[in-house]
Amino acid sequence: MHSALELTLILLSTAVLGVVVFRMLHLPPMLGYLLVGIVIGPHGLGLASENVTTHTLAEFGVVFLMFSIGLEFSLPKLSAMRRTVFGLGMAQVLLTIGATMVFGWLVAHLLPQMIDISWRAAFALGGALAMSSTAIVSKMLTERLELESEHGRQIFGILLFQDLAVVPLLILVPALARNSDDLMATLLLAALKAGIVLVLLLVIGQQLMRGWFRVVVKRRSQELFMLNLLLITLGAAWITEKAGLSLALGAFVAGMLISETEYKHQVEEDIKPFRDVLLGLFFITIGMLLNVRLVLENWWLVLLLLTAPVLLKFALIAMLAKLTGVSTGVALRTGLGLAQAGEFGFVLLNQAGGLQLMDPLIIQLILASMVLSMLAAPFIIDKSDAIVMKLSANEWMMQSLALTQIASRTMTVQKHVLIAGFGRSGQSLAKLLEEEGIAYHALDLDPDRVREAQAAGANVSYGDAARRESLVAAGIHRAATLVITFASTPSALKVLHFAHDLAPALPVIVRSHDDSDLEKLREAGAAEVVPEAIEGSLMLASHALVMLGVPLRRVVHRVQAARDERYASLRGYFHGASDAPDDAEHLHVRLHSVNLTEGANAVGKQLCALKLAELGAEVTIVRRGKSRIDVTPETLLQAGDIVVLRGTTDGVARAEDRLLK
């Protein structure tokens, strides 16, 4: 039996290993957490078992997840998407629950000896199966630049309603599980409690929240702000629990209250580490519930429970989407994007198991099928175009028509600029090109944006620049240059691959957020990479210099010199505590100052003898006292020198080690 500390250490260490492996495989970390839980759980290696500690950590994970959903809940967003959210989304959830209950009734009557499933259990199961994975789907759509596409918007609207539907489901399932003789009275009591608590929290809480946050913020303490945030989240969860409702409902309401204040974005950043870590531990506890031996013994049932719900959801969502008037291709892509199970499905299934609504064996088999469906989701979404082409004969015609429309608009154009992405950057570029009388043609995946821009006379077509056929139709072989305006490195690399294959001599200009992917994009064939962060700092510096009286010609010369050397002198900066690390932190170029104390390895040696370049770093400045000395390979280092290194985080660490040790 492990102590609480030992159990926590086991969970954290295995979680780190699982996430590292799944990040390397470019798969969602959530699946890594689930696999870790399976491996270390009581049905695996037995390193950890479900107890009060793991249960508490799992509950906190759900609380912070619901708090984050509450932060995203806004009446303007719902109003703008009301037809998709409350039309398509509501129909999908209700029909999935209804279909599951009908199936449960048929099984209970046709196979009563094998499976005994009550209508209450079927309702809870339907709610779990109705959910799809927001984390997996949003990540895949973002990487494929399809978040603003027609099917992307439908998918996002349905996901939004699924997230909202969890709140009443978390109230209804425990109420149904009580097996009260007067079911309607039980449900009405639960609804009354929820109504009273929500009114108290929303009315009184709304008045108090903004004023209280102002008091806390005026103290200018990050620690106090964080403590206050935890107090509000857990306090609201405690209130709803005491009212006989779920912890998650209180957290959701707390998120809603804060979303209406000006502190929403700060709260999102501060709560994210807690949410992600605790939610990861929740998925580990879900994985621990899975009995691999039972799953293997009943593999055919697992496969049946995997394929049947996935196919049902796919067909149901595609049919509902088609009824809204979209094309068959959009409807099929919407169904494929949402066919898998979701995070909240585990929450509802775990709740149903705790309330003993279903046989533990059934829960094991459903749990296994849900995990497998989520593992398959990235591959299904990635191959969705090919699947749609196979399923819909009209899709070939629609794609051909779209490509023909692109080709007809560019057929007579020569030496034009091909713009990939017609967002703000693409539109600004197009405007400047028009003023200079230079022809251009843009490709974009947002149908509303394309429609409005075309009506205004812009040369833009609906098309995916990351597809070979779209680039050919847009006249890549006749273009003078290609400009990739979306700051997404994975998507830019896809476009670069096809562009280099189709027109190797065509110069390509790529936009990026910063300088972290400069080399990767250049190696992929980019003639120029424009990092927004560095260009923004150049413009800021040039305005400041002109305002301080520096001649405009000299300022322009300095800016041009920085661009000519491809930002070499500007790459890297001194990192601080406010710079949040990301997944590729070890690849970022940074600056770091090293103080050479007496006895340091570099004292009395020339820079060339230290061979720092081999370690992935270079010396940009050597400061001696109050003076700054010129850096050459023959520079002799002395005790007390401040050596400024530039390189990746790993390279700088190795170089510092050599300088000092």
Side-chain angles (χ1 to χ4, degrees), residues 465-517:
R467 290 186 62 212
R468 178 191 295 269
E469 297 84 357
S470 299
L471 292 174
V472 172
I476 190 171
H477 294 105
R478 304 185 306 277
T481 189
L482 167 64
V483 183
I484 301 173
T485 66
F486 39 78
S488 167
T489 300
S491 300
L493 290 172
K494 286 183 185 177
V495 180
L496 282 167
H497 170 74
F498 290 125
H500 185 69
D501 191 39
L502 292 167
L506 181 72
V508 183
I509 303 170
V510 182
R511 169 187 163 214
S512 69
H513 279 304
D514 51 34
D515 59 338
S516 58
D517 294 319

Side-chain angles (χ1 to χ4, degrees), residues 35-113:
L35 187 62
V36 163
I38 294 169
V39 172
I40 69 169
H43 306 297
L45 298 177
L47 297 177
S49 59
E50 191 184 14
N51 54 27
V52 176
T53 303
T54 57
H55 183 70
T56 303
L57 290 171
E59 278 196 328
F60 281 157
V62 176
V63 163
F64 283 105
L65 176 61
M66 289 302 295
F67 178 79
S68 299
I69 296 297
L71 280 176
E72 291 300 317
F73 180 88
S74 69
L75 292 177
K77 181 190 286 187
L78 283 180
S79 178
M81 301 181 67
R82 59 187 179 275
R83 287 187 63 188
T84 306
V85 176
F86 294 105
L88 192 56
M90 183 184 293
Q92 182 265 320
V93 172
L94 292 178
L95 287 176
T96 304
I97 293 174
T100 307
M101 292 181 72
V102 170
F103 179 77
W105 181 84
L106 288 172
V107 169
H109 283 75
L110 296 176
L111 302 168
Q113 293 83 15

Side-chain angles (χ1 to χ4, degrees), residues 12-34:
L12 289 175
S13 58
T14 50
V16 168
L17 290 173
V19 171
V20 166
V21 171
F22 272 69
R23 284 283 188 191
M24 289 171 64
L25 296 172
H26 302 289
L27 291 171
M30 179 201 320
L31 302 179
Y33 289 126
L34 289 168

Side-chain angles (χ1 to χ4, degrees), residues 6 22 136 140 165 178 187 240 278 322 325 371 479 538 542 619:
E6 288 171 341
F22 272 69
I136 294 175
M140 293 295 296
R178 289 180 188 134
L187 292 176
T240 52
L278 291 171
K322 183 64 179 172
V371 171
L538 274 175
S542 63
V619 176

Side-chain angles (χ1 to χ4, degrees), residues 155-429:
I155 288 171
F156 185 75
I158 294 172
L159 285 172
L160 188 57
F161 184 83
Q162 288 178 0
D163 291 342
L164 296 176
V166 173
V167 177
L169 286 172
L170 287 172
I171 297 170
L172 280 171
V173 172
L176 293 175
R178 289 180 188 134
N179 283 321
S180 172
D181 293 333
D182 194 347
L183 180 61
M184 188 56 67
T186 303
L187 292 176
L188 286 173
L189 180 61
L192 182 64
K193 281 183 181 179
I196 293 171
V197 171
L198 287 174
V199 167
L200 288 174
L201 285 173
L202 291 173
V203 175
I204 299 174
Q206 188 67 51
Q207 295 174 353
L208 292 175
M209 190 68 68
R210 197 182 298 272
W212 176 244
F213 259 94
R214 287 200 188 105
V215 172
V216 171
V217 169
K218 282 181 180 177
R219 307 286 78 80
R220 298 184 181 277
S221 168
Q222 184 68 24
E223 178 185 5
L224 180 61
F225 188 85
M226 195 70 239
L227 285 171
N228 178 60
L229 185 56
L230 293 172
L231 173 64
I232 289 171
T233 307
L234 298 177
W238 176 78
I239 290 171
T240 52
E241 186 190 34
K242 287 299 178 184
L245 304 168
S246 69
L247 288 166
L249 176 61
F252 176 80
V253 173
M256 279 178 58
L257 294 175
I258 294 174
S259 72
E260 299 299 322
T261 70
E262 60 268 35
Y263 311 108
K264 172 186 173 180
H265 299 296
Q266 178 65 38
V267 168
E268 280 181 323
E269 288 302 311
D270 286 346
I271 207 73
K272 192 176 179 182
F274 288 93
R275 182 198 67 191
D276 291 348
V277 170
L278 291 171
L279 192 58
L281 295 177
F282 164 73
F283 285 120
I284 289 178
T285 60
I286 291 296
M288 287 165 60
L289 297 174
L290 190 64
N291 188 331
V292 179
R293 183 179 59 81
L294 279 178
V295 170
L296 292 175
E297 288 175 356
N298 299 275
W299 62 268
W300 63 275
L301 263 177
V302 173
L303 286 178
L304 179 63
L305 291 169
L306 167 64
T307 53
V310 167
L311 291 175
L312 171 67
K313 280 179 71 176
F314 163 66
L316 180 63
I317 294 170
M319 179 192 69
L320 290 172
K322 183 64 179 172
L323 291 175
T324 63
V326 300
S327 68
T328 304
V330 170
L332 291 173
R333 286 183 177 88
T334 305
L336 288 168
L338 295 169
Q340 81 293 131
E343 302 89 350
F344 284 123
F346 292 123
V347 176
L348 292 167
L349 191 67
N350 197 32
Q351 185 186 56
L355 295 168
Q356 298 180 341
L357 283 174
M358 281 181 276
D359 185 277
L361 175 60
I362 296 176
I363 289 182
Q364 287 288 325
L365 301 178
I366 294 171
L367 183 65
S369 67
M370 289 171 68
V371 171
L372 290 174
S373 76
M374 291 175 74
L375 282 169
F379 305 102
I380 293 173
I381 296 172
D382 195 49
K383 300 295 181 185
S384 58
D385 287 335
I387 296 171
V388 170
M389 292 291 188
K390 296 266 188 195
L391 294 177
S392 173
N394 291 335
E395 187 64 15
W396 281 104
M397 189 179 296
M398 295 291 291
Q399 293 280 358
S400 300
L401 180 61
L403 294 174
T404 303
Q405 289 174 344
I406 296 172
S408 65
R409 292 193 182 102
T410 61
M411 197 173 293
T412 58
V413 182
Q414 296 283 342
K415 299 296 179 183
H416 60 293
V417 177
L418 186 53
I419 303 174
F422 205 59
R424 188 166 187 172
S425 298
Q427 290 173 43
S428 298
L429 171 61

